[in-house]
Amino acid sequence: MTTLNISNSPITQVSQHAVPAHTNLQPQLLTRLLLDLRGRRFEVDRETIMNLPESVLLCLFPNGLVLSRQSVALSDGGENEEDEEVYGVDFDPDCFQYVLNFFRTASEAFYGTATSPGLIAAQQHLLDGPPNDFGATPSQNPLLSKQAIIVLREELEYFSIPLKDGDAATDQNGIANDILLNIKRRSGNYLMEKRNIFTALQRNVNKENNVAEQHLIDMLCMRYGVDFSPTCSPTEQSYSGFDRDDEWGYRALEPSRCCISSIALVLLKTGIMHYPNGEKPVEVDYPQMATAQKLLLFWRKPARKCWWDGIDVELPATSDSPMKTVKLWARRVWTLELSLVRSITHDLCLV
């Protein structure tokens, strides 16, 4: 009878030396992210990043949001384990700072700080109230317990078409000469000065007689009610937060591109009325709350609108260029979103 040599069996032939288990196969969640925005660094905690609007996050992280160390799974636990990864982001740092500041201020006003209570402290009783005729029970209404911000962004790409009898031209490779480049720069400066938010859209509504777009403007800007917020005297307020004459909160030319990026942030008017100095308990204007709840359709679901706008423009004369008439075409992409801000306990560090 043949004796089986177990040591030569391919099934039982294993190493006699224990292989050390790798304990770092799971990515380590980051508590703070170090971002490099066009040469300017920000250190932002994860909680703050998660509070940002979806449309802004998409610009910051077009390939997906990074919340874990990318190299930890392959780490050997060496001395470089603590080295922080810097994520390069092609986004305007001043615009990012504007968004962070607005969201931090809104969070502190609503949720309060270590030294002062926020608005939510005075309206806590609303969450325990009975159901009303305008929707679900108060505890199911996020507008009672979270600060809502309307986010409106515009990406404007413009094209300058000078008169045919001018000297502006391109070469055989399509490269603009100095005269045409100068016209493009002046066209960008002209558009930069047009800071009113709704002028171009209203012009398009009047031209196309678009009822849906007019309804959007009316919903965002319709006059209604009285504002009793602590920061304002009792006065007529805009229905959702915008005014027809409002300007973009931040607006800038993109480097080396014929493109202008703009963003406006406003607090959603929910109909929750805080009276000055707490003279009366907090009340709710339920018809206005019902309209505000319609904007919850845009929470985590940004809506986009794109249209072309062409106008004849006279570019003002400069010290080295005469007045110039051009046809200025603009392709505008609007993104409308509602953001619900959670309480932010950490702060931003600028590196």
Side-chain angles (χ1 to χ4, degrees), residues 199-210 213-214:
T199 297
L201 183 59
Q202 188 66 64
R203 183 167 60 238
N204 188 64
V205 169
N206 297 339
K207 176 182 175 183
E208 304 290 340
N209 194 27
N210 191 308
E213 293 175 3
Q214 184 62 59

Side-chain angles (χ1 to χ4, degrees), residues 58-109:
L58 185 60
C59 293
L60 292 171
F61 307 101
N63 297 321
L65 179 59
V66 178
L67 290 178
S68 61
R69 294 178 67 91
Q70 299 300 288
S71 60
V72 169
L74 303 177
S75 171
D76 58 1
E79 59 183 9
N80 294 327
E81 184 73 53
E82 298 300 323
D83 290 349
E84 292 189 273
E85 297 183 60
V86 180
Y87 299 92
V89 178
D90 184 19
F91 192 78
D92 188 332
D94 291 327
C95 182
F96 186 57
Q97 184 76 69
Y98 165 75
V99 174
L100 288 174
N101 290 345
F102 190 97
F103 271 65
R104 186 198 301 116
T105 301
S107 177
E108 291 176 351

Side-chain angles (χ1 to χ4, degrees), residues 107-223:
S107 177
E108 291 176 351
F110 189 79
Y111 297 104
T113 64
T115 57
S116 63
L119 297 177
I120 193 172
Q123 63 191 53
Q124 197 68 38
H125 65 282
L126 298 177
L127 296 172
D128 303 323
N132 56 73
D133 297 332
F134 296 94
T137 59
S139 61
Q140 296 176 316
N141 182 358
L143 299 182
L144 293 175
S145 58
K146 292 182 175 63
Q147 176 62 68
I149 297 176
I150 305 176
V151 182
L152 185 61
R153 298 181 62 246
E154 180 186 74
E155 295 292 326
L156 187 161
E157 191 174 5
Y158 64 91
F159 305 85
S160 306
I161 304 178
L163 299 177
K164 292 183 178 180
D165 57 355
D167 297 325
T170 58
D171 60 20
Q172 59 184 2
N173 297 319
I175 305 300
N177 61 16
D178 291 339
I179 298 176
L180 183 54
L181 288 174
N182 179 263
I183 291 176
K184 290 177 179 291
R185 283 191 291 267
R186 292 166 63 189
S187 297
N189 293 333
Y190 172 86
L191 289 171
M192 276 291 295
E193 296 177 356
K194 308 302 178 183
R195 298 185 61 90
N196 187 279
I197 296 175
F198 297 101
T199 297
L201 183 59
Q202 188 66 64
R203 183 167 60 238
N204 188 64
V205 169
N206 297 339
K207 176 182 175 183
E208 304 290 340
N209 194 27
N210 191 308
V211 177
E213 293 175 3
Q214 184 62 59
H215 176 69
L216 173 63
I217 296 176
D218 291 341
M219 182 174 65
L220 293 175
C221 304
M222 186 183 298
R223 294 287 189 174

